[in-house]
Amino acid sequence: KRTVLPLLRDETTAFVFPCRLTLQRPELKHMVRGWGWLGGVRAGGAAGCDRPCSLQVRELLKCIPFLLFLLLVCGLDHFIFSVLSIIQNHSFVQYSYQTSHHLSVNVMGTSLMAQLLRGTIVALNTSVDTQVETSNLACLPKPHGMTREQYLSTCLPLVTLALLCLAQVYPFRLRRAIAAFYFPKREKTRVLFLYNKLLRQRKNFFHLQRRRIARRARQPPGLGTSLLEWCSQYWPWLRRCQRRSCTLCGTPGTAWHQVCDCGALYCDRCW
């Protein structure tokens, strides 16, 4: 039977490998477009991650109102703190009040009545100096801004919730193994469907690539390519400096690659 392994370079991006720790391309694609795939799992999928990724998108969307509310509260807190700080720094007023009162009654004359009045009224002579300093410091606001640790402790629960939504990808990968354990016949049908689908896609892929290579071979080579080939004929060691790859899948060239009569390079599988 024709085998499908190892997969081609373009085919590996369409599958989810459970043992990889990173989020893979199908998972990221379905997470971005998850709301368009709420209808269920497509038949014959490699990992069937449409519904879980859609649920992830829905859960991430539920985090958006909390995130917006948190940003609003933090922004409002910073705005109020800035306003109160400006008032505290630029509204300080200090008053200094100084007064001086002097009362002196002089009785002129040398008569007995003048002496009596002078002895009586002299008690009314006063001298008062007043100096008062005051400010509005007691009335000014004394704001205290939130520290970095307080902001971190406020945002940490929401960040943890978002990370948990993203981390659901890894337990969802186990659904395939669990379903295969309880429904082996269904798993065999899925594998056979995927096998035939890959063969059809690969046949169409090589057919299209063959036409593309033939069309490109009919085109005249560029000036740089012609010059490089002419130099390689006289100095064969220049071929070692050329970075060539497979014409179909793009894998880097090695000693096991095959060179066609037209000069194109192919790996063993594409050849």
Side-chain angles (χ1 to χ4, degrees), residues 29-98:
K29 182 179 66 175
H30 290 304
M31 287 183 63
V32 175
R33 302 175 57 189
W35 47 80
W37 301 96
L38 297 178
V41 182
R42 291 177 294 177
C49 60
D50 292 342
R51 183 178 296 273
C53 293
S54 303
L55 295 177
Q56 285 180 329
V57 172
R58 292 168 56 185
E59 293 177 358
L60 288 175
L61 291 178
K62 291 180 181 180
C63 297
I64 293 180
F66 297 101
L67 177 61
L68 296 178
F69 176 75
L70 183 61
L71 294 177
L72 177 63
V73 171
C74 293
L76 185 62
D77 175 78
H78 182 71
F79 173 75
I80 296 177
F81 171 75
S82 301
V83 172
L84 295 180
S85 298
I86 293 174
I87 295 176
Q88 182 186 20
N89 296 329
H90 300 280
S91 299
F92 177 73
V93 179
Q94 185 176 8
Y95 303 92
S96 180
Y97 179 72
Q98 296 180 357

Side-chain angles (χ1 to χ4, degrees), residues 209-269:
Q209 292 296 329
R210 188 180 298 110
R211 290 193 302 176
R212 182 180 63 86
I213 294 173
R215 185 169 56 252
R216 187 175 61 180
R218 298 189 191 101
Q219 299 177 357
L223 180 61
T225 305
S226 302
L227 181 60
L228 187 60
E229 290 294 336
W230 181 80
C231 294
S232 300
Q233 292 178 2
Y234 289 93
W235 298 285
W237 58 270
L238 288 177
R239 296 184 181 275
R240 302 177 182 177
C241 302
Q242 299 179 10
R243 299 182 59 183
R244 306 185 64 185
S245 58
C246 179
T247 308
L248 280 180
C249 61
T251 55
T254 61
W256 303 101
H257 281 51
Q258 301 289 339
V259 181
C260 184
D261 296 335
C262 63
L265 187 69
Y266 299 94
C267 63
D268 290 342
R269 187 170 185 82

Side-chain angles (χ1 to χ4, degrees), residues 91-157:
S91 299
F92 177 73
V93 179
Q94 185 176 8
Y95 303 92
S96 180
Y97 179 72
Q98 296 180 357
T99 59
S100 180
H101 299 276
H102 298 279
L103 178 61
S104 178
V105 180
N106 296 324
V107 180
M108 308 301 294
T110 57
S111 62
L112 181 61
M113 182 59 73
Q115 294 178 0
L116 291 174
L117 288 175
R118 189 180 297 115
T120 304
I121 298 176
V122 72
L124 298 177
N125 295 340
T126 58
S127 179
V128 179
D129 294 329
T130 304
Q131 183 176 0
V132 179
E133 293 185 359
T134 183
S135 64
N136 62 343
L137 183 61
C139 301
L140 292 178
K142 299 179 178 58
H144 297 281
M146 294 179 61
T147 61
R148 183 178 301 179
E149 289 76 12
Q150 291 174 338
Y151 277 114
L152 183 61
S153 61
T154 303
C155 300
L156 188 60

